[in-house]
Amino acid sequence: MDTHLETIQEQEKAMAHIRDKLALLPELPGCYLMKNREGTIIYVGKAKVLKNRVRSYFTGSHEGKTQRLVADIRDFEYIVTSSNMEALILECNLIKLHQPRYNVLLKDDKTFPYIKITNERHPKLEVTRRVLKDKARYFGPYPNAYAAQQTKKLLDRMYPLRKCGVMPKEVCLYYHMGQCLAPCVKDIEKEQYDGIRDEIARFLGGSHEEIKKELRRKMEEAAEDLYFERAKELRDQIANIEAVMEKQKINATDKKDRDVFGYSVDKGWMCVQILYIRQGKMIERHASSFPFYGEAYADFLSYVTQYYSDNPALPQEILLPAGEEGGEAAAAGEARASAGASRADIMAANDAADADSDDGDEDSHGEAEEAAEAGLAAGTGGEAPGTDAADEALPLVAEEQAGYEAQPEDARRASGLGNLNGAAALQQWLNVKALVPKRGSKRKMVEMACENARVSLEEKFRLIERNEERTSGAADRLGDALGLDGLHRVEAFDNSNIQGANPVSAMVVFLDGKPAKQEYRKYKVRSVKGADDYATMREVIRRRYERVLKENLPLPDLVLVDGGKGQISVAIDVLENELGLTVPVAGLVKDAKHRTAQLMSGDPPAVVPLARDSEEFYLLQRIQDEVHRFAISFHREQRAKSMVTSRLDSIPGVGEKRRQTLLKHFGSLKKIREASVEDFRPLSIGDKLARQILEALKDEA
């Protein structure tokens, strides 16, 4: 009670301090940092007007996820910036620095791979996850690392750049295969490398059709000259190009490189979907799902900012959805969710985008509209790559921008310009056109990205529900099959040894059909010598449930043993006759291929009829596989330790204490074997004994 009272008093004191600071907040753009009672930064946000945004956390009502954040706040700091763009960049840097608990953190996208053409006298192709200022050419990012590796392999076969890390003294197999120019023995002109670089750049930029035509021409020439092996190689290269490019779904007539973003939110989670369009064709997509605690659109823009800070290979154009204050919907995916959209809608959107690219009148009207929006979104006089005269038609002059900043918060929301302000900051920072399209093919691309995000999020929750059905539902049905009232806790045992050596046992625990790994236990068998499975089971069951009684631990609803009638009888005998416990026991019987075959239970044990394709039977298989894996891994650990022990113990002059000292100092038998005589001196081991140890281990290696 005293602790609760102290907490309330501490919160009231903190709120009084916060109220004093709120009165002093400036009406300027900047970033704010929320802190908990330990002074740890738990949230970083940006605001066009710090006074309005920070105050909003401590006034009015909030959703549950925001309430959680606000309940942890005990203090805040702020940093004033000169523009919204600076606030965007500062927010990104602060999030990376402090990794706040409640912020969207771009964890899975920091290491996207790129294909790199090195800037060397004799360049080569690499797949790398680090982008350096080394004047090399980078292409990407590739969300699919396997696709990046396969593309590099294809390019290695098509273009004869060097493959070796260190230049050899003579030609290698790649030269004889026609996949290297042999710069190790030949003088290669810079112009020849420049031509190869340009072709690779065209290929990775999406202009693969021209390369396919050229390869097809060479293939036909080789076939006419009866060079059939060369023709086959060229045919395979064409097939590989088609395989890499076969997943393209969107075609646009302008052939621009675009990143199309969409997002959807549900149940406190956000999914961001990115469609990668290169040379007007969609070549890849990537989805990220994560919990969020702040304002949905602000956290979405935070994700986009972090993404481009870690992936500097920029497209010509970035397409963003409208936010909640845009007057239409938080995202097109959420707007369509109420209409019950499905995967068929995604395909329909694909087809619509393809058809729209062929409709010249509508598309030109949409382009003109988007060009006007681009000028409004820019907010600066700087021209972004790919902008044309139409884009410069509607610059947002300083007076207009100042007037916009001075609007009240509600008026800004109603005007719908908040979305464009975020796009403007992004465009000004990246120097790349950033649009919030309202109509035309670009709007349909954004809608498709949002719809994909909605479907991904929906599938995530369906998968959680399905897993619940597979686990807790299967556990309930298994309990019914065994005649039990409930089956919340299952404890399963398995033994492991090799011809009686290093006998061990293991126990795993499943709660409502899910593994509870923190409750797993390992047992070194103490009283049993040799391969006696029954005696081992008796010892382990006794040790486990003696401890359960002694420490008042929860009893299981079912004990599962690995084996049939014999193992079941042993477990029941120990539980009932030695410990006085009444716990149901069942046995998992394996077939000749060591797979789960049937379940036995009762006294005397009898087969429990279960359908082989039922979820409850699959649950038994998962339990048996898990306990077997756990027991085997423990046995391997013990066997490895015993092998090390026996090798060192067999060396004259090495006893128990010295063996432990050696293993603690070097870490492993391999490290001892690789050591020099001098390395033993800090352990007070003389040179003579050190040589004996090294010789003994060398002989056994």
Side-chain angles (χ1 to χ4, degrees), residues 493-495 532-538 541 559-575 585-589 600 605:
F493 296 83
D494 191 14
N495 304 325
D532 190 338
D533 199 44
Y534 294 159
T536 300
M537 185 64 68
R538 183 179 293 276
I541 293 290
V559 172
L560 275 177
V561 296
D562 186 69
K565 296 180 180 180
Q567 285 84 353
I568 294 172
S569 299
V570 165
I572 291 175
D573 181 50
V574 173
L575 289 168
V585 179
L588 292 170
V589 183
M600 299 189 75

Side-chain angles (χ1 to χ4, degrees), residues 489 491 493 507 523 540-556 559 571-583:
R489 183 185 184 90
E491 296 184 357
F493 296 83
M507 180 197 76
Y523 298 93
V540 172
I541 293 290
R542 183 188 299 113
R543 286 169 58 187
R544 166 62 184 170
Y545 295 104
E546 279 180 345
R547 183 172 182 180
V548 167
L549 291 172
K550 183 178 179 181
E551 299 182 10
N552 199 25
L553 299 174
L555 282 169
V559 172
I572 291 175
D573 181 50
V574 173
L575 289 168
E576 293 185 356
N577 299 330
E578 295 186 25
L579 303 175
L581 294 173
T582 304
V583 180

